[in-house]
Amino acid sequence: LAHCLEAYCSPGYHPMADGIALVGIKLVKENLLEAYNNGTNVTARTNMLSAALMGATAFQKGLGAMHALSHPVGAIYNTHHGLTNAVFMPYVLERNKSAIEDRITKAAKYLELKNTNYKGFMDWILNLRKELEIPHTLKELINDDSRLEEMSTMALKDPSTGGNPIALNQKDFLELYQNAYKGKLS
């Protein structure tokens, strides 16, 4: 989901990557909870495999701050990459809202969410995380805020940073780490 979502939101023109990313997100919406709750459902697992491959294909367009934030955390604390991206997802979406709101609204419509707007998409992400038992805060994942400044410098230098819809500096990354650590979404 993080790969597809960041690729879809990454600036630039790549309609094939956008289309692949949207279908990947839809496959996640339709299959992730089933695969999570019923690992014997081969169809759901196959669709999730397809979504993962679509994410890997789509992110040739670019990634963004989710990955730039996650890479230092994984390197220092040895956290699971997908889980770490999931923790940062809503914080990065909120930070990028001004640049991605129209795209996210289009995605919400394509996904046929109950509320086909930015808020409806965010509600879906937050509910999905809750159902998957994803920690809401970075503190729940690492319980150490002593290296946030160091990681913000690392995040700024991460190759994924260039694909973020809004240009970020070291202070922005530090603020994202702090917000994710405290659970502050807005």
Side-chain angles (χ1 to χ4, degrees), residues 24-90:
I25 293 168
K26 189 163 193 164
L27 285 172
V28 168
K29 178 186 177 276
E30 295 171 348
N31 294 280
L32 180 55
L33 288 174
E34 175 61 22
Y36 176 77
N37 291 316
N38 180 9
T40 61
N41 184 327
V42 175
T43 300
R45 291 176 63 188
T46 299
N47 285 329
M48 286 307 301
L49 175 62
S50 294
L53 291 170
M54 292 172 139
T57 301
F59 78 61
Q60 67 181 293
K61 181 182 172 201
L63 291 170
M66 275 180 236
H67 280 80
L69 292 162
S70 293
H71 291 149
V73 174
I76 293 171
Y77 297 99
N78 197 31
T79 59
H80 182 276
H81 178 64
L83 177 63
T84 309
N85 281 323
V87 169
F88 286 119
M89 190 174 290

Side-chain angles (χ1 to χ4, degrees), residues 2-19:
H3 289 159
C4 287
L5 184 55
E6 281 205 297
Y8 177 68
C9 292
S10 184
Y13 181 76
H14 199 313
M16 290 183 295
D18 289 345

Side-chain angles (χ1 to χ4, degrees), residues 71-120:
H71 291 149
V73 174
I76 293 171
Y77 297 99
N78 197 31
T79 59
H80 182 276
H81 178 64
L83 177 63
T84 309
N85 281 323
V87 169
F88 286 119
M89 190 174 290
Y91 303 99
V92 172
L93 288 170
E94 278 298 302
R95 180 64 179 87
N96 289 325
K97 182 179 178 182
S98 65
I100 65 171
E101 188 168 8
D102 289 344
R103 292 184 73 71
I104 292 298
T105 297
K106 289 176 187 174
K109 289 176 184 173
Y110 176 71
L111 296 173
E112 300 174 339
L113 298 178
K114 182 178 178 181
N115 293 323
T116 57
N117 55 28
Y118 177 86
K119 184 183 179 326

